[in-house]
Structures are given as structure tokens and as C-alpha cells.
Amino acid sequence: MRDYNINNLIKILKCHNPNEIYLSSHVLENCFERDYSLNYVHSCLLEKIPLSISKTSENRFLLIYPHETIKFQDLYIVIEINDDEKITVVTVYCFDKRRREREVKR
């Protein structure tokens, strides 16, 4: 099994086929409760530059983007990449952007 790094992730996202981003059932079930748009998630991954990227485990990454409509929140997107470079969105959730801003100050 291949272990991707952040540079690999950036390259994969830049040239990825938009039709090959898969959403876990968890994401589909929680999108209305967690106040995010699936179209915006898709747009973030393919078109926007993340505020932060971190590797959380083997082939799993956390990407942070500004929330689409709520100015004081960020959108956290956790993705996994398999050996065929297919991307699966594992979970998406919102969090107060002050959390990220505090971490930057440290």
C-alpha cells in the first residue's frame, strides 16, 4: 500500500477527475445537520486553496477551508486516497475559525 504525503495530495487534487471524488455515506447523511453544501465541498477540493492541510494517518488528510456562508467558521474536510489515487471524502464538519487562528499564533 502506498503512503501519500502532502505534496502527493496537492498533485493529485490538481489533476483529479471531478467525477471521481466519492462521498462516504456518513457525509451524505450529515450534510444538512452540519450546515454545508456538497457542491461547495466538491468545489473546495478541486478549485480552492486550503487554509491548512495536515496528514492525520496513512493516506488520510485534513483540509481546512473557509465556510461558504458563515464568516466565523471553517469547513473541515477529511479525505482518504487509495492506491489508485481515488479520493473519498470521509467526513465534513464546521468549526469556529478562532480554533485555527489560535493554533497559528502559537
Side-chain angles (χ1 to χ4, degrees):
M1 179 174 216
R2 184 169 178 193
D3 187 19
Y4 297 102
N5 61 35
I6 291 175
N7 290 329
N8 298 135
L9 169 68
I10 293 168
K11 289 176 187 173
I12 291 169
L13 286 173
K14 281 183 180 179
C15 65
H16 202 72
N17 180 347
N19 297 322
E20 291 187 357
I21 293 181
Y22 303 98
L23 302 172
S24 69
S25 59
H26 174 77
V27 172
L28 295 170
E29 292 167 3
N30 291 306
C31 69
F32 295 111
E33 289 176 19
R34 294 188 177 180
D35 196 25
Y36 60 84
S37 158
L38 295 176
N39 287 333
Y40 183 66
V41 170
H42 197 262
S43 169
C44 285
L45 292 173
L46 296 173
E47 301 167 8
K48 300 187 183 304
I49 298 171
L51 300 170
S52 173
I53 301 174
S54 56
K55 184 171 180 168
T56 59
S57 64
E58 187 174 359
N59 297 335
R60 188 174 279 205
F61 299 88
L62 170 66
L63 296 95
I64 302 174
Y65 295 92
H67 195 283
E68 180 179 27
T69 58
I70 305 172
K71 299 295 180 209
F72 61 88
Q73 287 197 336
D74 287 333
L75 189 67
Y76 287 55
I77 303 173
V78 178
I79 63 169
E80 258 183 10
I81 304 173
N82 72 9
D83 286 342
D84 298 329
E85 297 186 357
K86 291 184 182 174
I87 296 173
T88 301
V89 180
V90 177
T91 190
V92 179
Y93 56 96
C94 304
F95 213 100
D96 192 320
K97 77 176 188 176
R98 290 178 290 181
R99 175 182 183 184
R100 175 182 45 84
E101 292 170 346
R102 273 195 311 268
E103 291 175 3
V104 170
K105 290 179 183 177
R106 291 184 186 172

